[in-house]
Coordinates of all heavy atoms in Angstrom, one line a residue:
D1 N -123.7 -15.0 -211.1 CA -122.6 -15.3 -210.1 C -121.7 -16.3 -210.7 O -122.1 -17.4 -211.2 CB -123.3 -15.9 -208.8 CG -122.3 -16.2 -207.7 OD1 -121.6 -17.1 -207.9 OD2 -122.3 -15.4 -206.7
P2 N -120.4 -16.0 -210.7 CA -119.4 -17.0 -211.3 C -119.4 -18.4 -210.7 O -119.1 -19.3 -211.4 CB -118.1 -16.3 -211.1 CG -118.3 -15.0 -210.5 CD -119.8 -14.9 -210.2
V3 N -119.8 -18.5 -209.5 CA -119.7 -19.8 -208.9 C -121.1 -20.5 -208.9 O -121.2 -21.7 -209.3 CB -119.3 -19.7 -207.4 CG1 -119.3 -21.0 -206.7 CG2 -117.9 -19.1 -207.3
L4 N -122.1 -19.8 -208.6 CA -123.5 -20.4 -208.6 C -124.2 -20.3 -209.9 O -125.2 -21.0 -210.1 CB -124.3 -19.7 -207.5 CG -123.8 -19.7 -206.1 CD1 -124.7 -18.8 -205.2 CD2 -123.8 -21.1 -205.6
G5 N -123.8 -19.5 -210.8 CA -124.5 -19.3 -212.0 C -125.6 -18.3 -211.8 O -125.5 -17.3 -211.1
C6 N -126.7 -18.5 -212.6 CA -127.8 -17.5 -212.5 C -128.5 -17.5 -211.1 O -128.8 -18.6 -210.6 CB -128.8 -17.8 -213.5 SG -128.2 -17.5 -215.2
V7 N -128.6 -16.4 -210.5 CA -129.3 -16.2 -209.2 C -130.4 -15.2 -209.3 O -130.2 -14.1 -209.8 CB -128.3 -15.8 -208.1 CG1 -129.0 -15.6 -206.8 CG2 -127.1 -16.7 -208.0
S8 N -131.6 -15.6 -208.9 CA -132.8 -14.7 -208.9 C -133.0 -14.2 -207.5 O -133.2 -15.0 -206.6 CB -134.0 -15.5 -209.4 OG -133.8 -15.9 -210.7
T9 N -132.9 -12.9 -207.4 CA -133.1 -12.3 -206.1 C -134.5 -11.6 -206.1 O -134.8 -10.8 -207.0 CB -132.1 -11.2 -205.8 OG1 -130.8 -11.8 -205.9 CG2 -132.2 -10.6 -204.5
P10 N -135.4 -12.0 -205.2 CA -136.7 -11.4 -205.2 C -136.7 -9.9 -204.9 O -135.8 -9.4 -204.2 CB -137.4 -12.1 -204.0 CG -136.6 -13.3 -203.7 CD -135.2 -13.0 -204.2
V11 N -137.6 -9.2 -205.6 CA -137.7 -7.7 -205.4 C -138.3 -7.5 -204.0 O -139.3 -8.1 -203.6 CB -138.6 -7.1 -206.4 CG1 -138.8 -5.6 -206.2 CG2 -138.0 -7.3 -207.8
D12 N -137.6 -6.7 -203.2 CA -138.1 -6.4 -201.8 C -139.1 -5.2 -201.9 O -138.7 -4.1 -202.2 CB -136.9 -6.0 -201.0 CG -137.3 -5.7 -199.5 OD1 -138.5 -6.0 -199.2 OD2 -136.4 -5.2 -198.8
C13 N -140.3 -5.5 -201.6 CA -141.4 -4.5 -201.6 C -141.9 -4.3 -200.2 O -143.0 -3.7 -200.0 CB -142.5 -5.0 -202.5 SG -142.1 -5.2 -204.2
S14 N -141.1 -4.7 -199.2 CA -141.6 -4.6 -197.8 C -141.8 -3.1 -197.4 O -142.5 -2.8 -196.4 CB -140.6 -5.3 -196.8 OG -139.3 -4.7 -196.9
H15 N -141.1 -2.2 -198.1 CA -141.3 -0.7 -197.7 C -142.7 -0.3 -197.9 O -143.1 0.8 -197.4 CB -140.3 0.1 -198.6 CG -140.6 0.1 -200.0 ND1 -140.2 -1.0 -200.8 CD2 -141.2 1.0 -200.8 CE1 -140.6 -0.7 -202.1 NE2 -141.2 0.4 -202.1
L16 N -143.6 -1.0 -198.6 CA -145.0 -0.7 -198.8 C -145.9 -1.4 -197.8 O -147.1 -1.2 -197.8 CB -145.4 -1.0 -200.2 CG -144.8 -0.2 -201.4 CD1 -145.3 -0.7 -202.7 CD2 -145.1 1.3 -201.2
S17 N -145.3 -2.3 -197.0 CA -146.1 -3.0 -196.1 C -146.4 -2.3 -194.8 O -145.5 -1.6 -194.3 CB -145.5 -4.4 -195.8 OG -145.3 -5.1 -196.9
N18 N -147.5 -2.4 -194.2 CA -147.9 -2.0 -192.9 C -149.0 -2.9 -192.4 O -149.3 -3.9 -193.0 CB -148.2 -0.5 -192.8 CG -149.5 -0.1 -193.6 OD1 -150.3 -0.9 -193.8 ND2 -149.5 1.1 -194.0
T19 N -149.7 -2.5 -191.3 CA -150.7 -3.3 -190.7 C -151.9 -3.6 -191.7 O -152.5 -4.6 -191.7 CB -151.3 -2.7 -189.5 OG1 -150.2 -2.4 -188.6 CG2 -152.3 -3.6 -188.7
C20 N -152.1 -2.6 -192.6 CA -153.3 -2.6 -193.5 C -153.0 -3.1 -194.9 O -154.0 -3.4 -195.6 CB -153.9 -1.2 -193.6 SG -154.4 -0.5 -192.0
R21 N -151.8 -3.2 -195.3 CA -151.5 -3.6 -196.6 C -150.2 -4.4 -196.7 O -149.4 -4.3 -195.8 CB -151.4 -2.4 -197.5 CG -150.3 -1.4 -197.2 CD -150.3 -0.2 -198.0 NE -149.1 0.6 -197.7 CZ -149.0 1.8 -197.9 NH1 -150.1 2.5 -198.3 NH2 -147.9 2.5 -197.6
E22 N -150.0 -5.1 -197.8 CA -148.8 -5.8 -198.0 C -148.1 -5.4 -199.3 O -148.8 -5.3 -200.3 CB -149.1 -7.3 -198.1 CG -147.9 -8.2 -198.3 CD -148.3 -9.7 -198.3 OE1 -149.4 -10.0 -198.3 OE2 -147.3 -10.5 -198.4
G23 N -146.9 -5.1 -199.2 CA -146.1 -4.7 -200.5 C -145.7 -6.0 -201.2 O -145.1 -6.9 -200.6
V24 N -146.1 -6.1 -202.4 CA -145.8 -7.3 -203.3 C -145.3 -6.8 -204.6 O -145.5 -5.7 -205.0 CB -147.0 -8.2 -203.5 CG1 -147.5 -8.8 -202.1 CG2 -148.1 -7.5 -204.1
C25 N -144.6 -7.7 -205.3 CA -144.1 -7.4 -206.6 C -145.1 -7.8 -207.7 O -145.6 -9.0 -207.7 CB -142.7 -8.1 -206.8 SG -142.0 -7.8 -208.5
D26 N -145.4 -6.9 -208.5 CA -146.4 -7.2 -209.7 C -145.6 -8.0 -210.7 O -144.6 -7.4 -211.3 CB -146.9 -5.9 -210.2 CG -147.9 -6.1 -211.4 OD1 -147.6 -7.0 -212.2 OD2 -148.9 -5.4 -211.4
S27 N -145.9 -9.2 -210.9 CA -145.2 -10.1 -211.8 C -145.2 -9.6 -213.3 O -144.3 -9.9 -214.1 CB -145.7 -11.5 -211.8 OG -147.0 -11.6 -212.1
A28 N -146.2 -8.8 -213.7 CA -146.3 -8.3 -215.0 C -145.3 -7.1 -215.3 O -144.7 -7.1 -216.3 CB -147.7 -7.9 -215.4
S29 N -145.2 -6.3 -214.3 CA -144.5 -5.0 -214.5 C -143.1 -5.0 -213.7 O -142.2 -4.3 -214.0 CB -145.3 -3.8 -214.0 OG -145.5 -3.8 -212.6
G30 N -143.0 -5.9 -212.7 CA -141.8 -5.9 -211.8 C -141.8 -4.8 -210.8 O -140.9 -4.6 -210.1
A31 N -142.9 -4.0 -210.8 CA -143.0 -2.9 -209.8 C -143.6 -3.3 -208.5 O -144.4 -4.2 -208.5 CB -143.8 -1.7 -210.4
C32 N -143.2 -2.6 -207.5 CA -143.8 -2.9 -206.2 C -145.2 -2.2 -206.1 O -145.4 -1.1 -206.5 CB -143.0 -2.4 -205.0 SG -141.4 -3.3 -204.8
V33 N -146.2 -3.0 -205.6 CA -147.5 -2.5 -205.4 C -148.0 -2.8 -204.0 O -147.5 -3.8 -203.4 CB -148.5 -3.0 -206.5 CG1 -148.2 -2.5 -207.8 CG2 -148.6 -4.5 -206.4
A34 N -148.9 -2.1 -203.5 CA -149.5 -2.3 -202.1 C -150.9 -3.0 -202.3 O -151.7 -2.5 -203.0 CB -149.6 -1.1 -201.3
T35 N -151.1 -4.1 -201.7 CA -152.4 -4.8 -201.8 C -153.0 -4.6 -200.4 O -152.3 -4.7 -199.4 CB -152.2 -6.3 -202.1 OG1 -151.4 -6.9 -201.1 CG2 -151.6 -6.5 -203.5
T36 N -154.3 -4.4 -200.4 CA -155.0 -4.3 -199.1 C -155.3 -5.6 -198.5 O -155.4 -6.6 -199.2 CB -156.3 -3.5 -199.2 OG1 -157.1 -4.2 -200.2 CG2 -156.0 -2.1 -199.7
T37 N -155.4 -5.7 -197.2 CA -155.7 -6.9 -196.5 C -157.2 -6.9 -196.0 O -157.7 -5.8 -195.7 CB -154.8 -7.2 -195.3 OG1 -155.0 -6.2 -194.4 CG2 -153.3 -7.3 -195.7
D38 N -157.8 -8.0 -196.0 CA -159.2 -8.0 -195.5 C -159.3 -8.7 -194.1 O -160.3 -9.2 -193.7 CB -160.0 -8.9 -196.5 CG -160.2 -8.2 -197.8 OD1 -160.2 -6.9 -197.9 OD2 -160.3 -8.9 -198.9
D39 N -158.2 -8.6 -193.4 CA -158.1 -9.3 -192.1 C -158.9 -8.5 -191.0 O -158.9 -9.0 -189.9 CB -156.7 -9.5 -191.7 CG -155.9 -10.4 -192.7 OD1 -156.6 -11.2 -193.4 OD2 -154.7 -10.3 -192.7
C40 N -159.4 -7.4 -191.3 CA -160.0 -6.6 -190.2 C -161.5 -6.9 -190.0 O -162.1 -6.4 -189.0 CB -159.9 -5.1 -190.5 SG -158.2 -4.5 -190.1
D41 N -162.1 -7.7 -190.8 CA -163.6 -8.0 -190.6 C -163.7 -8.9 -189.3 O -163.3 -10.0 -189.2 CB -164.1 -8.8 -191.8 CG -165.6 -9.0 -191.7 OD1 -166.2 -8.6 -190.7 OD2 -166.1 -9.7 -192.6
D42 N -164.4 -8.3 -188.3 CA -164.6 -9.0 -187.0 C -165.8 -9.9 -187.0 O -166.1 -10.6 -186.1 CB -164.6 -8.1 -185.9 CG -165.8 -7.1 -185.8 OD1 -166.6 -7.2 -186.8 OD2 -165.9 -6.3 -184.9
G43 N -166.5 -9.9 -188.2 CA -167.7 -10.8 -188.3 C -168.9 -10.2 -187.6 O -170.0 -10.9 -187.5
N44 N -168.8 -9.0 -187.0 CA -170.0 -8.4 -186.3 C -170.6 -7.4 -187.2 O -169.9 -6.4 -187.6 CB -169.5 -7.8 -185.0 CG -170.5 -7.1 -184.2 OD1 -171.6 -6.9 -184.7 ND2 -170.2 -6.8 -182.9
S45 N -171.8 -7.6 -187.6 CA -172.5 -6.7 -188.5 C -172.8 -5.3 -187.9 O -173.2 -4.4 -188.6 CB -173.8 -7.3 -189.1 OG -174.7 -7.6 -188.1
C46 N -172.6 -5.2 -186.6 CA -172.9 -3.9 -185.9 C -171.7 -3.1 -185.7 O -171.6 -2.2 -184.8 CB -173.7 -4.2 -184.6 SG -175.4 -4.7 -184.9
T47 N -170.6 -3.4 -186.4 CA -169.4 -2.6 -186.3 C -168.9 -2.3 -187.7 O -169.2 -3.0 -188.7 CB -168.2 -3.3 -185.6 OG1 -167.9 -4.5 -186.3 CG2 -168.5 -3.6 -184.2
T48 N -168.3 -1.1 -187.9 CA -167.7 -0.7 -189.1 C -166.2 -1.0 -188.9 O -165.6 -0.5 -188.0 CB -167.9 0.7 -189.4 OG1 -169.3 1.0 -189.5 CG2 -167.3 1.2 -190.7
D49 N -165.6 -1.9 -189.7 CA -164.3 -2.3 -189.6 C -163.4 -1.6 -190.6 O -163.6 -1.6 -191.8 CB -164.2 -3.9 -189.8 CG -165.1 -4.6 -188.8 OD1 -165.1 -4.3 -187.6 OD2 -165.8 -5.5 -189.3
T50 N -162.3 -1.0 -190.0 CA -161.3 -0.3 -190.8 C -160.0 -0.7 -190.4 O -159.8 -1.2 -189.3 CB -161.5 1.2 -190.8 OG1 -161.4 1.6 -189.4 CG2 -162.9 1.7 -191.3
C51 N -159.0 -0.3 -191.2 CA -157.6 -0.6 -190.8 C -156.9 0.8 -190.7 O -156.9 1.5 -191.7 CB -156.9 -1.5 -191.8 SG -155.3 -2.0 -191.2
D52 N -156.3 1.0 -189.6 CA -155.5 2.2 -189.3 C -154.0 1.8 -189.4 O -153.6 0.8 -188.8 CB -155.8 2.8 -187.9 CG -155.0 4.0 -187.6 OD1 -153.8 3.9 -187.4 OD2 -155.6 5.1 -187.7
P53 N -153.2 2.5 -190.3 CA -151.9 2.1 -190.4 C -151.1 2.0 -189.1 O -150.1 1.3 -189.0 CB -151.3 3.1 -191.4 CG -152.4 3.7 -192.1 CD -153.6 3.6 -191.1
V54 N -151.4 2.8 -188.1 CA -150.7 2.8 -186.9 C -151.4 1.9 -185.9 O -150.7 1.1 -185.2 CB -150.6 4.2 -186.3 CG1 -150.0 4.2 -184.9 CG2 -149.9 5.2 -187.3
L55 N -152.7 2.0 -185.7 CA -153.4 1.2 -184.7 C -153.7 -0.2 -185.1 O -154.0 -1.1 -184.3 CB -154.7 1.9 -184.3 CG -154.6 3.3 -183.8 CD1 -155.9 3.9 -183.6 CD2 -153.8 3.3 -182.5
G56 N -153.8 -0.5 -186.4 CA -154.2 -1.8 -186.9 C -155.7 -1.8 -187.1 O -156.3 -0.8 -187.4
C57 N -156.3 -2.9 -186.9 CA -157.8 -3.1 -187.1 C -158.5 -2.3 -186.0 O -158.2 -2.3 -184.8 CB -158.2 -4.5 -187.0 SG -157.5 -5.5 -188.4
V58 N -159.5 -1.5 -186.5 CA -160.4 -0.8 -185.6 C -161.8 -1.1 -185.9 O -162.3 -1.0 -187.1 CB -160.1 0.8 -185.8 CG1 -161.1 1.6 -185.0 CG2 -158.7 1.1 -185.6
S59 N -162.6 -1.6 -185.0 CA -164.0 -1.9 -185.1 C -164.8 -0.9 -184.3 O -164.8 -0.8 -183.1 CB -164.3 -3.3 -184.6 OG -163.5 -4.3 -185.3
T60 N -165.5 0.0 -185.1 CA -166.3 1.0 -184.5 C -167.8 0.6 -184.5 O -168.3 0.3 -185.5 CB -166.1 2.3 -185.4 OG1 -164.7 2.6 -185.5 CG2 -166.8 3.5 -184.7
P61 N -168.4 0.7 -183.3 CA -169.8 0.3 -183.3 C -170.7 1.2 -184.2 O -170.4 2.4 -184.3 CB -170.2 0.6 -181.8 CG -168.9 0.5 -181.1 CD -167.9 1.1 -182.0
V62 N -171.7 0.6 -184.8 CA -172.6 1.4 -185.7 C -173.4 2.3 -184.7 O -173.9 1.9 -183.7 CB -173.6 0.4 -186.4 CG1 -174.7 1.2 -187.1 CG2 -172.8 -0.4 -187.4
D63 N -173.5 3.6 -185.1 CA -174.2 4.6 -184.3 C -175.6 4.7 -184.7 O -176.0 5.1 -185.8 CB -173.5 6.0 -184.5 CG -174.2 7.1 -183.6 OD1 -175.0 6.7 -182.8 OD2 -173.8 8.2 -183.9
C64 N -176.5 4.3 -183.8 CA -177.9 4.3 -184.0 C -178.6 5.3 -183.1 O -179.9 5.3 -183.0 CB -178.5 2.9 -183.7 SG -177.9 1.6 -184.8
S65 N -177.9 6.2 -182.6 CA -178.4 7.2 -181.6 C -179.5 8.2 -182.3 O -180.3 8.7 -181.6 CB -177.3 8.0 -181.0 OG -176.6 8.8 -182.0
H66 N -179.4 8.3 -183.6 CA -180.4 9.1 -184.3 C -181.8 8.6 -184.2 O -182.7 9.4 -184.4 CB -180.0 9.3 -185.8 CG -180.0 8.0 -186.6 ND1 -179.0 7.1 -186.5 CD2 -181.0 7.5 -187.4 CE1 -179.3 6.0 -187.3 NE2 -180.5 6.3 -187.8
L67 N -182.0 7.4 -183.8 CA -183.3 6.8 -183.6 C -183.8 6.9 -182.1 O -184.9 6.6 -181.8 CB -183.4 5.4 -184.0 CG -183.2 5.1 -185.5 CD1 -183.2 3.6 -185.8 CD2 -184.2 5.8 -186.3
S68 N -182.9 7.4 -181.3 CA -183.2 7.5 -179.8 C -184.0 8.8 -179.5 O -183.7 9.8 -180.0 CB -182.0 7.4 -179.0 OG -181.3 6.1 -179.2
N69 N -184.9 8.6 -178.6 CA -185.5 9.8 -177.9 C -186.0 9.3 -176.6 O -185.6 8.3 -176.1 CB -186.7 10.4 -178.8 CG -187.8 9.5 -179.0 OD1 -188.1 8.5 -178.2 ND2 -188.6 9.7 -180.1
T70 N -186.9 10.1 -175.9 CA -187.4 9.7 -174.6 C -188.1 8.4 -174.5 O -188.0 7.7 -173.5 CB -188.3 10.8 -174.1 OG1 -187.7 12.1 -174.2 CG2 -188.7 10.6 -172.6
C71 N -188.7 8.0 -175.6 CA -189.6 6.8 -175.6 C -188.9 5.6 -176.2 O -189.5 4.5 -176.1 CB -190.9 7.1 -176.4 SG -191.8 8.4 -175.6
R72 N -187.9 5.8 -176.9 CA -187.3 4.6 -177.6 C -185.7 4.7 -177.7 O -185.2 5.8 -177.5 CB -187.8 4.5 -179.0 CG -187.5 5.6 -179.9 CD -188.1 5.5 -181.3 NE -187.5 6.6 -182.1 CZ -188.2 7.2 -183.1 NH1 -189.4 6.8 -183.4 NH2 -187.6 8.1 -183.8
E73 N -185.1 3.6 -177.9 CA -183.7 3.6 -178.0 C -183.3 3.0 -179.4 O -183.8 2.0 -179.8 CB -183.1 2.7 -176.9 CG -181.6 2.7 -176.9 CD -181.0 1.8 -175.8 OE1 -181.8 1.2 -175.1 OE2 -179.8 1.8 -175.7
G74 N -182.4 3.7 -180.1 CA -181.9 3.2 -181.3 C -180.8 2.2 -181.0 O -179.8 2.5 -180.3
V75 N -180.9 1.0 -181.6 CA -179.9 -0.1 -181.4 C -179.6 -0.7 -182.8 O -180.4 -0.6 -183.7 CB -180.4 -1.1 -180.4 CG1 -180.6 -0.6 -179.0 CG2 -181.7 -1.8 -180.9
C76 N -178.5 -1.4 -182.8 CA -178.2 -2.1 -184.0 C -178.7 -3.6 -184.0 O -178.5 -4.3 -183.0 CB -176.7 -2.1 -184.2 SG -176.1 -2.9 -185.7
D77 N -179.4 -4.0 -185.0 CA -179.9 -5.4 -185.1 C -178.7 -6.2 -185.6 O -178.2 -6.1 -186.7 CB -181.0 -5.4 -186.2 CG -181.5 -6.8 -186.3 OD1 -180.8 -7.8 -186.4 OD2 -182.8 -6.9 -186.4
S78 N -178.3 -7.2 -184.7 CA -177.1 -7.9 -185.0 C -177.2 -8.9 -186.2 O -176.3 -9.2 -186.9 CB -176.7 -8.8 -183.8 OG -177.7 -9.7 -183.4
A79 N -178.5 -9.2 -186.6 CA -178.7 -10.1 -187.7 C -178.5 -9.3 -189.0 O -177.9 -9.9 -190.0 CB -180.1 -10.7 -187.7
S80 N -178.9 -8.1 -189.1 CA -178.9 -7.3 -190.3 C -177.9 -6.2 -190.4 O -177.5 -5.7 -191.4 CB -180.3 -6.7 -190.6 OG -180.6 -5.7 -189.7
G81 N -177.5 -5.7 -189.2 CA -176.6 -4.6 -189.1 C -177.3 -3.3 -189.3 O -176.7 -2.2 -189.4
A82 N -178.6 -3.3 -189.4 CA -179.4 -2.1 -189.5 C -179.8 -1.5 -188.2 O -180.0 -2.2 -187.2 CB -180.7 -2.4 -190.3
C83 N -180.0 -0.2 -188.2 CA -180.5 0.5 -186.9 C -182.0 0.3 -186.8 O -182.7 0.4 -187.8 CB -180.1 1.9 -187.0 SG -178.4 2.3 -186.8
V84 N -182.4 0.0 -185.6 CA -183.8 -0.2 -185.3 C -184.2 0.5 -184.0 O -183.3 0.7 -183.2 CB -184.3 -1.7 -185.2 CG1 -184.1 -2.4 -186.6 CG2 -183.5 -2.4 -184.2
A85 N -185.4 1.0 -183.9 CA -185.8 1.6 -182.7 C -186.6 0.6 -181.8 O -187.5 -0.1 -182.2 CB -186.7 2.8 -183.0
T86 N -186.2 0.6 -180.5 CA -186.8 -0.3 -179.6 C -187.5 0.6 -178.6 O -187.0 1.6 -178.2 CB -185.9 -1.2 -178.8 OG1 -184.9 -0.5 -178.1 CG2 -185.1 -2.1 -179.8
T87 N -188.7 0.2 -178.1 CA -189.4 0.9 -177.1 C -188.8 0.7 -175.7 O -188.3 -0.4 -175.5 CB -190.9 0.6 -177.1 OG1 -191.1 -0.8 -176.8 CG2 -191.6 0.9 -178.4
T88 N -188.9 1.7 -174.9 CA -188.4 1.5 -173.5 C -189.6 1.3 -172.6 O -190.7 1.8 -172.9 CB -187.6 2.8 -173.1 OG1 -188.5 3.9 -173.1 CG2 -186.4 3.0 -174.0
D89 N -189.4 0.7 -171.5 CA -190.4 0.5 -170.5 C -190.2 1.4 -169.3 O -190.7 1.2 -168.2 CB -190.4 -1.0 -170.0 CG -190.7 -2.0 -171.1 OD1 -191.5 -1.6 -172.0 OD2 -190.1 -3.1 -171.1
D90 N -189.5 2.5 -169.5 CA -189.2 3.4 -168.4 C -190.4 4.2 -167.9 O -190.3 4.9 -166.9 CB -188.2 4.4 -168.9 CG -186.8 3.7 -169.1 OD1 -186.6 2.6 -168.7 OD2 -186.0 4.3 -169.8
C91 N -191.6 4.1 -168.6 CA -192.7 4.9 -168.1 C -193.6 4.2 -167.2 O -194.6 4.8 -166.6 CB -193.5 5.4 -169.3 SG -192.7 6.7 -170.3
D92 N -193.4 2.9 -166.9 CA -194.2 2.2 -166.0 C -194.0 2.7 -164.6 O -193.0 2.6 -164.0 CB -193.9 0.7 -166.0 CG -194.8 -0.1 -165.2 OD1 -195.8 0.4 -164.6 OD2 -194.6 -1.4 -165.2
D93 N -195.1 3.3 -164.0 CA -195.0 3.9 -162.7 C -195.3 2.9 -161.6 O -195.3 3.2 -160.4 CB -195.9 5.2 -162.5 CG -197.3 4.9 -162.7 OD1 -197.7 3.7 -162.8 OD2 -198.1 5.9 -162.7
G94 N -195.6 1.7 -162.0 CA -195.9 0.6 -161.0 C -197.3 0.7 -160.5 O -197.7 -0.2 -159.6
N95 N -198.1 1.6 -160.9 CA -199.5 1.7 -160.5 C -200.4 1.1 -161.6 O -200.5 1.7 -162.7 CB -199.9 3.2 -160.3 CG -201.3 3.4 -159.7 OD1 -202.1 2.5 -159.8 ND2 -201.5 4.6 -159.2
S96 N -201.1 0.0 -161.3 CA -201.9 -0.6 -162.3 C -203.2 0.2 -162.6 O -203.9 -0.2 -163.6 CB -202.3 -2.0 -161.9 OG -203.0 -2.0 -160.6
C97 N -203.5 1.2 -161.9 CA -204.6 2.0 -162.1 C -204.4 3.2 -163.0 O -205.2 4.1 -163.3 CB -205.2 2.5 -160.8 SG -205.9 1.2 -159.8
T98 N -203.1 3.3 -163.6 CA -202.8 4.4 -164.6 C -202.4 3.7 -165.9 O -201.9 2.6 -165.9 CB -201.7 5.3 -164.0 OG1 -200.5 4.5 -163.8 CG2 -202.1 6.0 -162.7
T99 N -202.7 4.5 -167.0 CA -202.2 4.1 -168.3 C -200.9 4.9 -168.5 O -200.9 6.1 -168.6 CB -203.2 4.4 -169.4 OG1 -204.5 3.7 -169.0 CG2 -202.8 3.9 -170.7
D100 N -199.8 4.2 -168.6 CA -198.5 4.8 -168.8 C -198.2 4.9 -170.3 O -198.1 3.8 -170.9 CB -197.5 4.1 -168.0 CG -197.9 3.9 -166.5 OD1 -198.3 4.9 -166.0 OD2 -197.7 2.8 -166.0
T101 N -197.9 6.1 -170.8 CA -197.5 6.2 -172.1 C -196.3 7.1 -172.2 O -196.0 7.8 -171.2 CB -198.6 6.8 -173.0 OG1 -199.0 8.1 -172.5 CG2 -199.9 5.9 -173.1
C102 N -195.7 7.2 -173.4 CA -194.5 8.0 -173.6 C -194.8 8.9 -174.7 O -195.1 8.5 -175.8 CB -193.3 7.1 -173.8 SG -191.8 8.1 -173.8
D103 N -194.6 10.2 -174.5 CA -194.7 11.2 -175.6 C -193.3 11.5 -176.0 O -192.5 11.8 -175.1 CB -195.4 12.4 -175.0 CG -195.6 13.5 -176.1 OD1 -194.5 14.2 -176.4 OD2 -196.7 13.7 -176.6
P104 N -193.0 11.5 -177.3 CA -191.6 11.7 -177.7 C -191.0 13.1 -177.3 O -189.8 13.2 -177.1 CB -191.7 11.6 -179.2 CG -192.9 10.8 -179.5 CD -193.8 11.1 -178.4
V105 N -191.9 14.0 -177.1 CA -191.4 15.4 -176.7 C -191.5 15.5 -175.1 O -190.6 16.0 -174.5 CB -192.3 16.5 -177.3 CG1 -191.9 17.8 -176.8 CG2 -192.1 16.4 -178.9
L106 N -192.6 15.2 -174.6 CA -192.9 15.4 -173.1 C -192.3 14.3 -172.3 O -192.1 14.5 -171.1 CB -194.4 15.5 -172.8 CG -195.1 16.6 -173.5 CD1 -196.6 16.5 -173.3 CD2 -194.6 17.9 -173.1
G107 N -192.1 13.1 -172.8 CA -191.6 12.0 -172.1 C -192.8 11.2 -171.5 O -193.8 11.1 -172.1
C108 N -192.6 10.6 -170.3 CA -193.7 9.8 -169.7 C -194.9 10.7 -169.3 O -194.7 11.8 -168.7 CB -193.1 9.1 -168.4 SG -191.9 7.9 -168.8
V109 N -196.0 10.3 -169.7 CA -197.3 11.0 -169.3 C -198.3 10.0 -168.8 O -198.3 8.9 -169.0 CB -197.9 11.8 -170.5 CG1 -197.0 13.0 -170.9 CG2 -198.1 10.9 -171.7

C-alpha cells in the first residue's frame, strides 16, 4: 500500500467452517484446511457424541437392548460406559409361599 506500506491480509478460510470444524490457514503451506472440534463431548460415558454439520452436537444414548429379555434389562453403566444386564423384580407375585423365578424364554414361572 503506497500510504501504509506493507499490509498483511489474513487468508480467509471461513468457507471451511461449520458447527463441527473450523477453517484455518496452514502456516506451512498457506492453504486452507478444516480442523475438527472436540466440543461435542458431553462427559457422559453412556452417550456416543458426534457432530452433525447441520444439527451440531448430537449425543446418542448407548444401546444396550441386546442384553434385555423377559428377566433382565440391558442398561449402560455410567462409570464405565459398558452395557450390563440387570435383573428385574417383575416376577414377585406378592405371595411369600411361592418361589418366583424368571425363565428367559417363558418369563415368570
Side-chain angles (χ1 to χ4, degrees):
D1 182 289
V3 176
L4 300 174
C6 293
V7 176
S8 298
T9 304
V11 175
D12 180 10
C13 297
S14 62
H15 64 282
L16 294 177
S17 297
N18 65 25
T19 307
C20 301
R21 63 183 187 208
E22 180 180 5
V24 296
C25 181
D26 182 316
S27 60
S29 68
C32 289
V33 294
T35 60
T36 58
T37 62
D38 294 329
D39 296 340
C40 284
D41 184 1
D42 67 0
N44 182 343
S45 60
C46 288
T47 60
T48 301
D49 304 313
T50 57
C51 189
D52 181 285
V54 176
L55 301 174
C57 293
V58 177
S59 297
T60 306
V62 173
D63 181 9
C64 297
S65 62
H66 63 283
L67 294 177
S68 297
N69 65 24
T70 307
C71 300
R72 64 182 187 210
E73 180 180 6
V75 296
C76 182
D77 180 318
S78 61
S80 67
C83 289
V84 295
T86 60
T87 58
T88 63
D89 295 328
D90 293 341
C91 286
D92 185 1
D93 64 4
N95 184 343
S96 59
C97 294
T98 60
T99 302
D100 304 315
T101 59
C102 187
D103 180 282
V105 176
L106 301 174
C108 295
V109 290

